[in-house]
Amino acid sequence: MSGKPIPSPDVPPVPDFSTVMGHPRPLWMLFMTEFWERFAFYGMRWALALYIVAQFYAGEAGGEAPASRLYGAYLALVYAAALFGGYVADRVIGYQRSILLGAVIMAAGLFLIMVPNEELFKLGLATVIVGNGLFKPNISTMVGKLYAPGDGRRDSGFTLFYMGINLGAMIAPWLTGILAERIMGGSPEMPAYKVVFLASGIGMLISLVWFWFGRAQLRGIGQPLPGAEGTGRVLVTGVCAIVAIPVFYFLLSIGAGALQWILSALFVGLCVLILKEGFKDGAIRRDMAVAMLIIFVFNVLFWCFFEQAGSSFNFLAQNIVDRDFSGWIFPVGWFQSVNSLAIITLAPVLAWLWVKMGSANPSIPRKFGLGLIFNGLAFLLLMFALSSLVDPQTLKIPFWTLFMVYVIQSVGELCLSPIGLSMVTKLAPVRLVGFGMGGWFLSTAIGNNLSGIFASHVSGEAGMNVQSALSGYTFGFWALVIPGVLLFLIAPLIQKLMHGVK
């Protein structure tokens, strides 16, 4: 079969929105809401592992491994919570109310992690997790709901939305880094990390206000289901969210290994539910669900190694990269902006390239394969730098190598991540689109937790050195390139299951 996905009678008609730059006007409101939420998220993300070592391990290198594991577990639970947030939006309070409630809770958590107590710090992280779970999957799902089935603007709309994400992610490390190291009494050796968390909390409040006043543009999209409009459900959801915070605190505390088993069990359960719903909708929807779940597995691998950015790459930048420019030290946190700058620069280029290629445009599975391969090439550059470019006096590698690692990874991300968000809205069972989006984030969560475990091995018990980094990143190269090539080769089989979805 060729052509467009089969529309379902369960899909409500899309309002006739006025357009801005060729896209529905509410897209730009969602763009800015997500910009400020990502500012908050990435504003604190770059500092998290570094702060844990500095505050709770007295700056000792032996703190790198536990900091990486906690960072990976936190990031994993942020995305795993999206599974429940998607279900709450689908079946309980609607997308708009989920976003508003999530924004309030997330802001509270960002302010709480400013307290220099390890237990309260973890409790603050757990609060951020719950809030982000209600917020993140649902705003992405609402972007898809702005377009009718088969609307050719959908992919480019998600690409524009993804640029909003990365604009916030680019500015946040730069601005919060300046505040922490230059303005609020910090230094490159010891930034004022609490200022980073304060700025992130303020950014989240701006996101909340922006969506509160802009949601009228949605003209009913994301409202609760008929019969569920009362405030009682919101209050019950809020109470459940508060109850969930200690649960996520416990999950942060049990260790990354135990958490991996829990996440894997959740993923298996999700696969069963999505397949069951797909079978109800007939053979075509069943095949689409199978194709989506296969791609989810490869998604785990991508994020396991991509998410070294907030853990082992930070310690690599701090300990092994030459950041000295004639006495001016390039801040470690600013490396986090390179990825987003590359995304903003390269996203229009790749969007143009996909259109220019016409019928030769790679299928979704092949784009995922390219994403894995480019991610692997970034690790190949690190292998070269750590084996051939280490300065014998300083034991450091050139600045440009880590800079280009982020750029190469960004190409891989553009082949995979924005396409993935759009893919879920096309392939997921119609009645569980939010749940399917939660599944996308759960597969990302598993990869993120593995990223912390992997980063802890790269650092080892005594902290990162050239040999430990070379050994770890060599493994990363092979673990990405081999599955990437395999996915590229079997892409026609997966595409057949997708029944014409592009």
Side-chain angles (χ1 to χ4, degrees):
M1 175 182 173
S2 61
K4 300 165 184 171
I6 304 295
S8 166
D10 294 329
V11 179
V14 176
D16 185 18
F17 292 116
S18 60
T19 61
V20 176
M21 297 177 63
H23 287 273
R25 184 167 174 254
L27 174 67
W28 305 103
M29 182 273 295
L30 296 176
F31 176 104
M32 288 305 301
T33 302
E34 182 72 343
F35 166 88
W36 283 110
E37 187 272 337
R38 290 291 90 181
F39 176 93
F41 185 81
Y42 284 95
M44 57 87 78
R45 171 181 174 266
W46 74 264
L48 208 55
L50 298 171
Y51 172 74
I52 293 168
V53 174
Q55 182 68 44
F56 305 124
Y57 293 90
E60 296 293 331
E64 291 179 8
S68 292
R69 288 192 292 267
L70 180 57
Y71 169 82
Y74 156 73
L75 210 58
L77 290 170
V78 162
Y79 286 98
L83 174 65
F84 303 102
Y87 182 83
V88 166
D90 275 335
R91 299 295 179 88
V92 184
I93 62 173
Y95 296 94
Q96 291 190 24
R97 290 176 171 183
S98 292
I99 289 168
L100 291 169
L101 182 60
V104 170
I105 296 171
M106 189 175 169
L110 288 167
F111 291 124
L112 185 57
I113 62 175
M114 295 172 60
V115 180
N117 174 280
E118 188 168 4
E119 300 311 312
L120 288 177
F121 175 77
K122 289 181 182 178
L123 190 65
L125 290 181
T127 306
V128 173
I129 288 165
V130 172
N132 197 268
L134 287 167
F135 188 105
K136 182 62 180 168
N138 299 317
I139 194 163
S140 300
T141 300
M142 286 218 300
V143 172
K145 291 180 177 292
L146 299 179
Y147 301 91
D151 189 328
R153 301 174 299 168
R154 181 188 294 245
D155 277 1
S156 62
F158 269 101
T159 299
L160 287 168
F161 180 71
Y162 205 65
M163 287 179 69
I165 292 173
N166 283 279
L167 189 60
M170 179 188 73
I171 292 172
W174 174 75
L175 180 56
T176 58
I178 289 176
L179 288 172
E181 295 185 10
R182 299 282 189 273
I183 297 176
M184 303 302 292
S187 67
E189 293 76 26
M190 182 52 66
Y193 290 116
K194 296 178 185 64
V195 175
V196 174
F197 306 144
L198 174 63
S200 297
I202 292 171
M204 195 66 235
L205 291 178
I206 295 173
S207 176
L208 169 64
V209 172
W210 197 282
F211 186 76
W212 175 268
F213 287 105
R215 61 201 169 107
Q217 298 178 24
L218 294 165
R219 294 168 58 182
I221 286 182
Q223 292 281 25
L225 294 171
E229 298 91 347
T231 58
R233 288 188 174 214
V234 180
L235 293 174
V236 171
T237 302
V239 171
C240 290
I242 293 171
V243 171
I245 292 171
V247 175
F248 282 102
Y249 170 85
F250 169 76
L251 292 172
L252 282 173
S253 303
I254 61 174
L259 179 61
Q260 191 61 40
W261 285 103
I262 295 171
L263 292 174
S264 299
L266 282 173
F267 185 70
V268 171
L270 175 136
C271 291
V272 170
L273 286 173
I274 287 180
L275 284 175
K276 181 180 177 182
E277 192 70 25
F279 271 90
K280 284 183 184 177
D281 291 340
I284 292 177
R285 283 292 177 182
R286 176 203 64 203
D287 290 350
M288 289 179 177
V290 170
M292 181 179 73
L293 295 177
I294 291 172
I295 291 176
F296 280 0
V297 174
F298 286 95
N299 189 51
V300 169
L301 271 177
F302 180 87
W303 294 106
C304 172
F305 297 100
F306 183 89
E307 273 302 339
Q308 296 308 300
S311 51
S312 76
F313 285 1
N314 260 348
F315 297 124
L316 181 75
Q318 186 178 60
N319 302 330
I320 301 177
V321 174
D322 183 2
R323 299 179 286 118
D324 191 338
F325 289 87
S326 301
W328 177 73
I329 306 300
F330 185 88
V332 171
W334 287 14
F335 277 109
Q336 304 288 311
S337 294
V338 176
N339 166 248
S340 300
L341 178 61
I343 293 290
I344 292 167
T345 304
L346 297 175
V349 177
L350 260 69
W352 172 84
L353 181 62
W354 300 144
V355 173
K356 188 71 174 177
M357 292 177 73
S359 60
N361 184 4
S363 65
I364 289 174
R366 284 219 159 127
K367 286 177 180 174
F368 270 72
L370 288 172
L372 288 167
I373 291 168
F374 273 104
N375 200 355
L377 292 176
F379 281 83
L380 181 63
L381 176 56
L382 283 175
M383 289 167 57
F384 171 68
L386 291 164
S387 61
S388 304
L389 301 180
V390 177
D391 186 295
Q393 274 76 46
T394 64
L395 297 181
K396 293 181 183 293
I397 60 176
F399 171 88
W400 68 266
T401 54
L402 184 56
F403 185 95
M404 287 307 301
V405 162
Y406 279 103
V407 173
I408 296 169
Q409 279 194 321
S410 300
V411 177
E413 183 184 2
L414 278 169
C415 292
L416 181 146
S417 195
I419 306 302
L421 292 174
S422 180
M423 174 199 73
V424 171
T425 65
K426 297 174 183 177
L427 295 181
V430 173
R431 288 178 294 277
L432 290 179
V433 174
F435 204 51
M437 193 68 76
W440 165 259
F441 290 119
L442 180 57
S443 68
T444 305
I446 294 173
N448 287 335
N449 192 57
L450 288 171
S451 79
I453 295 172
F454 173 72
S456 72
H457 287 296
V458 175
S459 285
E461 294 303 318
M464 182 182 292
N465 57 54
V466 171
Q467 286 306 313
S468 69
L470 176 58
S471 174
Y473 296 149
T474 299
F475 173 81
F477 166 72
W478 292 111
L480 284 164
V481 169
I482 293 174
V485 171
L486 173 65
L487 180 55
F488 199 86
L489 293 176
I490 67 171
L493 299 177
I494 300 175
Q495 188 63 34
K496 186 176 180 181
L497 291 172
M498 294 168 68
H499 292 277
V501 168
K502 302 292 185 182

